Amino acid sequence: MKTTLFTFVLGLLLFSCMENEDLSALSSGPVPVGNWSNLEYRENGFEMEKVNQLQENTYGYRFLSNGKLIHRANSGWCGTPPIVTSDFEGTWEKEGDIITLTAAFWGGTQVQKWKISSSTGNSLEIEVISSEMQMEE
């Protein structure tokens, strides 16, 4: 009985010390830290809404406070519905109102520069300054 209780307490202690990236993405931090989805495309960019979590098979971004990025996008080249998405890892950095994203996608690596046109607590309006795709062979 004592061994079982000791093992349970030890496991609980170890588990409680582990960082949960989902929770750290939601913690308050500088824009754009958090989960962003519900993209509405505009002439020169798009607007996104802050969400608690990214829903399955929807486009979105998870900006973690440590500079890591999860970009949820098409899992393959086909864009015909029904769309299936995958999570692609990458990095992000912010200088002033400019965000530089580098992330994998189904065909290689993508590098984008965004300008934050407008920001509220729950929405971001983004102007896409540049977008380059490097295809894998």
Side-chain angles (χ1 to χ4, degrees):
M1 177 68 178
K2 287 182 182 182
T3 307
T4 305
L5 183 59
F6 177 74
T7 304
F8 175 73
V9 170
L10 182 62
L12 188 60
L13 280 173
L14 290 175
F15 181 74
S16 66
C17 293
M18 294 171 38
E19 180 182 359
N20 184 337
E21 288 187 355
D22 289 340
L23 295 177
S24 65
L26 294 174
S27 64
S28 59
V31 169
V33 173
N35 298 314
W36 299 89
S37 191
N38 304 327
L39 281 67
E40 286 187 35
Y41 294 95
R42 310 267 191 237
E43 186 175 332
N44 296 328
F46 55 96
E47 186 173 337
M48 348 185 241
E49 181 181 317
K50 194 164 197 174
V51 295
N52 288 332
Q53 66 182 28
L54 298 178
Q55 298 298 314
E56 223 175 290
N57 292 321
T58 60
Y59 300 113
Y61 297 87
R62 177 180 294 144
F63 292 91
L64 302 173
S65 59
N66 61 2
K68 287 185 181 179
L69 167 73
I70 304 295
H71 178 206
R72 182 164 292 167
N74 285 23
S75 60
W77 60 270
C78 184
T80 305
I83 300 295
V84 176
T85 60
S86 293
D87 288 346
F88 298 97
E89 293 185 13
T91 60
W92 69 277
E93 55 185 44
K94 182 179 173 194
E95 252 184 69
D97 287 344
I98 305 296
I99 300 172
T100 303
L101 300 91
T102 304
F105 74 101
W106 59 265
T109 304
Q110 176 174 263
V111 178
Q112 292 187 333
K113 285 192 185 258
W114 296 351
K115 179 178 182 194
I116 301 173
S117 303
S118 173
S119 160
T120 68
N122 294 325
S123 70
L124 280 179
E125 194 169 319
I126 301 295
E127 178 185 340
V128 178
I129 297 171
S130 67
S131 181
E132 297 178 32
M133 293 185 174
Q134 300 164 349
M135 301 298 285
E136 290 180 352
E137 293 183 21

